[in-house]
Amino acid sequence: MTEAAGRAPARRRRPAAAVVLALLLPFASASVPVRPSVTPDRLVAVARAIEAGHARPGWEGGAIPYSWGGGHGERPGPSLGTCRGYRGSIRPCPAAGTLGLDCSGLARWVYHLAYGRDVLGPGNTDDHLRRLTRVPAAHARPGDLVFYGEVSGRRVRTHHVGIYVGQGMMINALRTGTEVRTDPVTRIEDFAGYFRYL
């Protein structure tokens, strides 16, 4: 008798391991945190778009000025800065009236836009560095963060960060009076290393 004549087709049996895997798979992802996969290209594309002045969530577009303390609001992105702790050469301090970003505010926003959440969190360059893993210079890749200052086993005291974009260059918010821009990683003398969010 054929199927057309009314006989049911033979059923294939699944191996027991496949059945167990199919049953457990939905629960496996709930118990193991999974970080979204963000490529170095994605991080660099976000940083370049910000440097070019493209509109982004929290910014209508245009060049973004440096603002001491800018980018450290409740949500990442340009914000008014602060004059507390300001040591810049432009006087009086313009930060409290300047909507913009400082170096760690820029890094925080780039990573937030790329990852879809605030992975670096609030804080300054020291706070951000503690959430990252050091990468040997030979293994640095675009999208890593470049820090300046002192980083040793006993002490972390940094003062600047940029987003490495390859070929010895970084996108950064350098200082008061500048806008988000590209500079050589050698622009600042006390290079502390490359760091990556893993």
Side-chain angles (χ1 to χ4, degrees):
M1 218 161 132
T2 65
E3 287 180 313
R7 192 173 111 181
R11 290 182 143 202
R12 288 188 189 186
R13 300 189 94 187
R14 284 187 181 173
V19 172
V20 170
L21 183 61
L23 292 172
L24 292 178
L25 196 56
F27 299 104
S29 62
S31 62
V32 178
V34 177
R35 285 195 176 159
S37 177
V38 172
T39 66
D41 291 342
R42 172 78 178 136
L43 287 162
V44 171
V46 169
R48 288 200 186 283
I50 289 170
E51 178 190 27
H54 296 171
R56 291 287 175 257
W59 186 253
E60 293 181 5
I64 300 176
Y66 180 95
S67 182
W68 175 262
H72 297 283
E74 187 176 318
R75 293 188 46 80
S79 67
L80 292 176
T82 179
C83 289
R84 197 170 124 221
Y86 175 77
R87 293 181 294 277
S89 61
I90 297 176
R91 299 292 177 173
C93 166
T98 303
L99 184 66
L101 298 165
D102 68 9
C103 62
S104 56
L106 171 63
R108 179 185 181 203
W109 194 36
V110 166
Y111 272 59
H112 171 78
L113 292 173
Y115 281 90
R117 61 189 177 90
D118 191 9
V119 297
L120 294 182
N124 61 22
T125 54
D126 292 350
D127 299 317
H128 290 175
L129 185 136
R130 290 183 181 105
R131 297 179 182 109
L132 305 169
T133 301
R134 184 180 217 130
V135 178
H139 297 290
R141 66 183 187 207
D144 289 340
L145 295 177
V146 185
F147 282 84
Y148 298 84
E150 183 182 346
V151 179
S152 66
R154 298 178 192 204
R155 183 176 169 131
V156 172
R157 189 169 185 174
T158 57
H159 61 85
H160 190 67
V161 62
I163 298 97
Y164 183 59
V165 294
Q167 300 180 339
M169 305 299 281
M170 67 176 169
I171 292 177
N172 69 136
L174 187 62
R175 64 175 170 261
T176 302
T178 66
E179 297 169 343
V180 172
R181 68 190 205 178
T182 299
D183 282 306
V185 296
T186 56
R187 175 85 168 130
I188 299 171
E189 293 180 8
D190 55 349
F191 174 80
Y194 295 95
F195 292 79
R196 184 174 298 160
Y197 179 70
L198 296 174

